[in-house]
């Protein structure tokens, strides 16, 4: 009887492992983490245990575990991706930062909008998270970049500066990015249709740090 049971349960011992990400096949390190589950019973193996093992890598955002009878463990990993870059004048490259603030890597170049930190900010650390102030400023930059061409960016302790053409935009660093960028778009629309023009000139600066926006002209 025991031999029959052993044979029956032996069918469900994991011998095949499949692992993919949204970018393609998993790398060797991820397969190495999964190899520990070979020989485990597929039916009784905890999905959470598999997830926790793979989420030890900060680049992994979400893990989906599927069991394919009789003996295949299938895993799909959602990788964190960089939505902004962070740089400083003394750095020869850019840190890529995910939407939750996790610093993913340091790259020589990047195609994402890049936020330049003033010297008072510490350098980001790969694998750790940036401050709320930096993350909020990055979200503002990313939202503005979707609809406008941003020339220069500078984050100081209490303000974020973006250059849009000949107009400098000043943002606070402690308010809702979507509300701030929405207000900016309304102001820019008014300027475009000449309601905010003065002597046919557009504002040289738009300061959104106050209750009411402050516009300056030359």
């Amino acid at each position: 009887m025991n031999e029959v049971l052993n044979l029956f349960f032996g069918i469900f011992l994991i011998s095949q492992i499949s692992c993919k990400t949204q970018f393609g096949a998993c790398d060797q390190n991820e397969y190495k983490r999964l190899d520990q589950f070979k020989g485990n019973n597929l039916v009784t193996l905890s999905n959470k245990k598999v997830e926790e093992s793979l989420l030890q890598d900060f680049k992994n955002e979400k893990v989906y575990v599927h069991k394919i009878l009789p003996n295949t463990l299938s895993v799909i990993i959602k990788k964190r991706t960089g939505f902004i870059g962070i740089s400083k004048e003394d750095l020869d490259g850019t840190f890529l930062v995910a939407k939750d603030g996790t610093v993913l890597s340091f790259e020589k170049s990047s195609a994402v909008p890049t936020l330049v930190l003033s010297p008072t900010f510490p350098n980001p650390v790969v694998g750790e998270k940036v401050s709320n102030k930096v993350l909020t400023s990055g979200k503002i930059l990313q939202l503005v970049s979707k609809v406008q061409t941003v020339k220069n960016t500078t984050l100081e302790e209490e303000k974020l500066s973006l250059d849009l053409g000949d107009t400098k935009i000043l943002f606070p660093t402690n308010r809702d990015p979507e509300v701030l960028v929405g207000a900016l778009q309304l102001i820019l629309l008014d300027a475009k249709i000449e309601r905010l023009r003065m002597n046919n000139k557009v504002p040289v600066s738009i300061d959104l740090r106050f209750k009411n926006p402050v516009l300056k002209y030359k």
Side-chain angles (χ1 to χ4, degrees):
M1 182 65 176
N2 287 338
E3 291 182 1
V4 174
L5 288 175
N6 289 337
L7 180 62
F8 176 76
F9 286 112
I11 296 174
F12 301 107
L13 298 183
I14 297 170
S15 60
Q16 302 291 328
I17 294 177
S18 170
C19 183
K20 296 180 180 179
T21 74
Q22 70 265 44
F23 305 112
C26 293
D27 61 29
Q28 291 183 349
N29 289 331
E30 285 150 353
Y31 270 108
K32 182 179 275 189
R33 289 182 185 275
L34 290 170
D35 278 346
Q36 65 180 300
F37 300 112
K38 280 189 174 180
N40 282 231
N41 188 293
L42 183 68
V43 177
T44 59
L45 176 65
S46 167
N47 286 8
K48 186 176 181 180
K49 188 174 182 180
V50 179
E51 292 170 9
E52 289 176 345
S53 176
L54 291 169
L55 289 176
Q56 291 178 34
D57 185 341
F58 64 86
K59 292 184 179 181
N60 297 338
E61 180 179 0
K62 184 72 175 175
V63 177
Y64 303 91
V65 179
H66 304 279
K67 297 175 178 180
I68 303 174
L69 296 175
N71 57 10
T72 299
L73 179 66
S74 177
V75 175
I76 298 174
I77 301 173
K78 181 183 178 183
K79 291 284 187 177
R80 287 187 169 91
T81 57
F83 87 116
I84 59 160
I86 291 180
S87 185
K88 295 177 74 174
E89 290 186 358
D90 60 345
L91 293 177
D92 185 25
T94 303
F95 289 93
L96 292 183
V97 179
K99 287 184 177 181
D100 68 345
T102 303
V103 183
L104 300 177
S105 63
F106 183 74
E107 308 291 342
K108 285 293 184 181
S109 61
S110 171
V112 296
T114 299
L115 182 66
V116 179
L117 305 182
S118 69
T120 58
F121 284 90
N123 289 347
V125 177
V126 174
E128 297 185 5
K129 291 191 175 184
V130 297
S131 67
N132 287 335
K133 184 179 296 186
V134 173
L135 182 58
T136 296
S137 299
K139 289 178 178 178
I140 292 171
L141 170 61
Q142 198 264 349
L143 287 170
V144 174
S145 297
K146 285 184 176 181
V147 292
Q148 303 285 338
T149 300
V150 180
K151 287 185 178 179
N152 301 300
T153 71
T154 304
L155 176 60
E156 299 176 30
E157 284 300 327
E158 300 302 330
K159 69 178 179 182
L160 168 66
S161 303
L162 306 181
D163 288 347
L164 303 183
D166 296 325
T167 304
K168 182 177 291 293
I169 317 296
L170 302 175
F171 291 95
T173 58
N174 59 353
R175 284 159 53 192
D176 188 322
E178 292 189 3
V179 173
L180 290 169
V181 176
L184 173 64
Q185 294 309 313
L186 289 175
I187 293 171
L188 293 177
L189 177 61
D190 280 347
K192 186 175 182 180
I193 61 178
E194 300 188 351
R195 277 188 291 191
L196 292 178
R197 288 178 180 264
M198 182 176 292
N199 297 326
N200 204 35
K201 294 180 179 179
V202 296
V204 295
S205 72
I206 300 173
D207 196 335
L208 297 168
R209 293 176 295 167
F210 308 100
K211 183 177 180 180
N212 295 315
V214 177
L215 282 66
K216 292 183 179 180
Y217 299 80
K218 278 188 177 180

